[in-house]
Amino acid sequence: MKIGKKYIIFPLLLVTILCGCGKSKEPVSNKFLDSINIELSDEPTSKNSEHTYQVSLTNSKNELVNVDSVEIILTMKSMNHKAEGKLKKTSKGVYKGKIELPMDGSWSKTIVLNQGEHTRKVNGTLIK
């Protein structure tokens, strides 16, 4: 039995496309982002499930520094809950935002710093 070229080329082309699609470049940090110290404060608001998070960013000289954007990701793995939000710059090196949590409890916190094409994710153990 002879198989035509189109029956061989099409599956190979399909496999090539599927393998290449969906793969995005993993974001990488840089020296500037790696040198930033992060301080996080959490203040419950008047609403039961709403919290105000404030992130302060400083360099090695303890000077406030800016980045393009700051995000916070909160996860409660035991309950499979996740909440996240982009924080707004309120002053040099200070970013704030309100996040509504589905419930009180122990939430893991990750801060994401973005500067140009560079990204640094910092989990709660490295946050002051």
Side-chain angles (χ1 to χ4, degrees):
M1 185 171 142
K2 199 172 186 182
I3 300 175
K5 286 183 181 179
K6 66 179 178 182
Y7 294 110
I8 294 173
I9 293 173
F10 180 72
L12 289 175
L13 182 61
L14 184 62
V15 168
T16 303
I17 290 170
L18 291 175
C19 289
C21 291
K23 289 187 178 182
S24 60
K25 190 176 174 184
E26 194 65 29
V28 245
S29 190
N30 63 11
K31 267 187 176 180
F32 171 69
L33 291 177
D34 288 343
S35 68
I36 293 176
N37 298 309
I38 301 168
E39 188 173 326
L40 173 68
S41 64
D42 170 9
E43 303 167 11
T45 64
S46 57
K47 288 185 178 180
N48 287 344
S49 57
E50 188 177 74
H51 291 251
T52 298
Y53 290 96
Q54 178 176 300
V55 170
S56 299
L57 306 176
T58 55
N59 61 18
S60 59
K61 297 176 184 176
N62 210 27
E63 301 166 327
L64 291 167
V65 294
N66 291 328
V67 294
D68 290 344
S69 68
V70 177
E71 300 167 47
I72 186 167
I73 302 168
L74 303 131
T75 54
M76 182 185 276
K77 290 184 182 181
S78 62
M79 299 298 284
N80 200 25
H81 289 313
K82 184 176 183 179
E84 55 188 280
K86 196 167 187 175
L87 306 181
K88 293 183 181 180
K89 184 175 139 188
T90 58
S91 61
K92 185 174 184 176
V94 179
Y95 300 79
K96 247 183 181 178
K98 291 182 182 182
I99 308 285
E100 187 141 353
L101 302 176
M103 65 185 296
D104 286 334
S106 180
W107 289 84
S108 298
K109 296 164 185 74
T110 301
I111 303 297
V112 182
L113 306 178
N114 296 298
Q115 183 70 27
E117 61 186 35
H118 300 284
T119 298
R120 177 182 174 207
K121 288 185 177 183
V122 182
N123 68 25
T125 59
L126 299 174
I127 303 168
K128 289 185 197 175

